[in-house]
């Protein structure tokens, strides 16, 4: 067989670990040929299509590398592919049938698609066209349904945690309130995990609308306890109970959330005696070398994806459930976004019991 590998959506640490595992398993176990499709599906849908040979030479040394050697894009949806329109505007065209023709032209029998919820939705539609696809779940937000965790999330949590650690020292030295904005559009897993591990005092999540007064009360309580600095971790998709999401621009198919840290800074500053500063981590969370956990998880995902291809279990996504790698249907994987359920989430309860506030109430 000839296997195609594609990485779609945002980059994150661990992508190369999956590419490496797919290639090694395909070669060692089955003697198959593996090629990478550049820049998501852009490499096959451009006017000069191409693929990248993946073999023991081309994957050498990529395990610790961040990003993806194949390149990626969140705009290469074959069902809505951007093209040059009139007056310099961007139009969109359905190039899914061209993609199928190009796959046939290059003799690609099956595709392993590595990406988040958008990539998995595309995979499900390609499956409906009769294309053999297997998905691998990737997103730093950890919001893909049907898997306990996506690779890339642990690395991003560690990056955010280390940033919060550094904010502690400067906040302590200057007696400041520091706001750290992390990614997380609809789901607050990254903010919750990094906030707890980084010792945040307030964590604001998309799933728990906050009230400015409650944040101010929690900061005042800390001052009464002679704690002269505070750390607030906020997900980019968090919003006030009576407010709107903070938007910094228009993305490919949805508004780009962000700027909530600076918005909070301006809102809280007039009511505080302390100085307050905002830090936005942004794409720092996507960069760098993957953690041990993500290297192992990505490797397990990649190897199991080849098992799925060998068993002709197409239209599936590999997933981690209770420590085991299994295959789930793409229909289940794209059923909904996996968000935090605050009323039942154990880590939220643990955080509250430790005196961490979520902006929705004051816990005494």
């Amino acid at each position: 067989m000839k296997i195609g590998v594609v990485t779609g959506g945002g980059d994150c640490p661990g992508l190369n670990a999956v590419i490496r595992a797919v290639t090694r398993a395909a070669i060692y176990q089955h003697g198959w040929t593996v090629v990478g499709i550049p820049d998501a599906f852009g490499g096959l849908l451009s006017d000069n299509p191409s693929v990248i040979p993946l073999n023991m030479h081309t994957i050498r040394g990529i395990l610790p590398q961040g990003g993806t050697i194949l390149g990626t894009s969140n705009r290469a949806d074959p069902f809505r592919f951007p093209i040059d329109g009139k007056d310099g505007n961007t139009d969109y065209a359905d190039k899914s049938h061209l993609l199928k023709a190009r796959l046939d032209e290059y003799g690609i029998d099956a595709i392993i698609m590595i990406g988040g919820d958008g990539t998995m939705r595309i995979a499900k539609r390609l499956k409906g066209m009769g294309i053999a696809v297997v998905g691998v779940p990737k997103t730093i937000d950890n919001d893909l349904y049907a898997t306990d965790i996506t690779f890339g999330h642990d690395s991003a949590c560690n990056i955010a945690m280390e940033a919060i650690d550094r904010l502690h020292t400067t906040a302590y030295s200057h007696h400041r309130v520091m706001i750290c904005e992390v990614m997380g559009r609809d789901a607050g897993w990254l903010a919750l995990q990094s906030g707890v591990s980084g010792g945040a005092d307030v964590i604001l999540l998309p799933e728990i609308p906050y009230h400015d007064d409650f944040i101010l009360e929690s900061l005042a309580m800390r001052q009464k306890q002679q704690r002269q600095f505070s750390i607030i971790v906020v997900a980019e998709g968090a919003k006030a109970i009576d407010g709107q999401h903070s938007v910094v621009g228009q993305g490919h198919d949805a508004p780009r959330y962000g700027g909530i840290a600076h918005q909070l800074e301006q809102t809280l500053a007039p009511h505080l005696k302390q100085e307050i500063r905002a830090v936005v981590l942004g794409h720092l969370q996507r960069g760098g070398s993957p953690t041990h956990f993500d290297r192992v998880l990505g490797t397990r995902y990649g190897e199991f994806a080849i098992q799925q291809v060998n068993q002709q279990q197409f239209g599936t996504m590999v997933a981690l459930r209770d420590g085991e790698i299994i295959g789930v249907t793409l229909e289940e994987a794209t059923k909904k976004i996996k968000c935090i359920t605050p009323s039942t989430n154990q880590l939220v309860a643990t955080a509250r019991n430790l005196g961490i506030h979520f902006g929705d109430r004051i816990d005494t």
Side-chain angles (χ1 to χ4, degrees):
M1 292 189 72
K2 189 174 187 178
I3 309 300
V5 183
V6 60
T7 53
D11 68 303
C12 75
L15 283 164
N16 287 325
V18 180
I19 295 168
R20 174 180 178 271
V22 165
T23 303
R24 288 177 66 97
I27 292 172
Y28 275 122
Q29 295 297 317
H30 306 289
W32 294 342
T33 300
V34 187
V35 295
I37 300 171
D39 303 327
F41 285 118
L44 282 184
L45 295 177
S46 68
D47 294 335
N48 298 297
S50 64
V51 296
I52 300 171
L54 294 175
N55 50 51
M56 301 308 294
H57 174 73
T58 55
I59 64 167
R60 184 176 300 150
I62 69 171
L63 179 61
Q65 291 181 21
T68 164
I69 62 170
L70 301 180
T72 189
S73 172
N74 53 15
R75 301 192 58 186
D77 180 349
F79 296 96
R80 191 171 182 266
F81 197 81
I83 58 174
D84 293 333
K86 296 180 180 179
D87 303 322
N89 295 321
T90 299
D91 289 335
Y92 298 93
D94 184 345
K95 291 196 172 187
S96 57
H97 294 287
L98 174 61
L99 174 64
K100 194 172 189 302
R102 293 272 168 85
L103 291 171
D104 292 339
E105 178 184 340
Y106 280 90
I108 297 173
D109 301 296
I111 312 173
I112 293 177
M113 296 180 59
I114 311 168
D117 59 311
T119 300
M120 294 306 121
R121 287 195 295 268
I122 292 171
K124 184 173 71 171
R125 295 185 70 180
L126 292 178
K127 172 207 167 191
M129 295 177 60
I131 296 173
V133 295
V134 173
V136 177
K138 170 246 37 162
T139 166
I140 66 170
D141 292 340
N142 195 36
D143 60 356
L144 247 175
Y145 195 65
T147 183
D148 290 346
I149 192 167
T150 55
F151 78 87
H153 177 65
D154 185 72
S155 297
C157 283
N158 274 272
I159 293 165
M161 179 191 70
E162 291 177 3
I164 297 166
D165 287 347
R166 286 164 171 76
L167 291 178
H168 266 280
T169 61
T170 186
Y172 173 82
S173 299
H174 288 273
H175 312 303
R176 285 174 174 157
V177 174
M178 301 294 294
I179 307 173
C180 181
E181 180 181 315
V182 301
M183 288 184 172
R185 178 184 173 86
D186 302 302
W189 299 103
L190 180 53
L192 178 61
Q193 298 278 357
S194 63
V196 171
S197 62
D201 306 298
V202 178
I203 301 173
L204 304 178
L205 308 175
E207 296 89 343
I208 306 179
Y210 65 84
H211 197 293
D212 295 336
D213 289 344
F214 291 150
I215 298 174
L216 289 167
E217 286 184 42
S218 67
L219 298 178
M221 285 173 55
R222 283 182 56 78
Q223 283 211 301
K224 288 179 182 179
Q225 297 164 350
Q226 303 302 311
R227 289 182 273 184
Q228 299 303 316
F229 74 96
S230 296
I231 302 292
I232 300 173
V233 174
V234 56
E236 64 186 356
K239 67 175 183 176
I241 291 173
D242 56 352
Q244 302 291 324
H245 288 109
S246 179
V247 176
V248 295
Q250 180 64 36
H252 174 47
D253 55 5
R256 286 176 51 214
Y257 290 177
I260 183 65
H262 293 290
Q263 179 179 302
L264 271 172
E265 179 186 10
Q266 295 174 8
T267 301
L268 301 179
H271 307 281
L272 295 173
K273 293 181 180 179
Q274 299 160 288
E275 289 186 327
I276 183 169
R277 296 288 187 272
V279 175
V280 180
L281 296 188
H283 286 76
L284 284 173
Q285 296 156 95
R286 294 191 178 279
S289 185
T291 59
H292 153 80
F293 182 88
D294 278 338
R295 294 185 196 196
V296 173
L297 183 61
T299 298
R300 293 178 70 191
Y301 276 164
E303 187 276 333
F304 195 85
I306 289 297
Q307 288 191 40
Q308 293 290 93
V309 172
N310 187 50
Q311 297 166 12
Q312 297 189 22
Q313 296 297 310
F314 300 120
T316 60
M317 181 188 82
V318 302
L320 182 70
R321 294 269 186 89
D322 299 323
E324 298 296 323
I325 306 295
I326 63 170
V328 300
T329 65
L330 286 169
E331 286 73 19
E332 182 181 1
T334 57
K335 186 177 180 181
K336 60 181 180 179
I337 296 294
K338 184 180 73 177
C339 294
I340 297 168
T341 305
S343 61
T344 59
N345 184 274
Q346 283 191 334
L347 189 54
V348 170
T350 296
R352 290 193 192 275
N353 291 336
L354 295 178
I356 298 172
H357 298 271
F358 290 87
D360 59 333
R361 68 191 199 209
I362 290 297
D363 301 307
T364 58

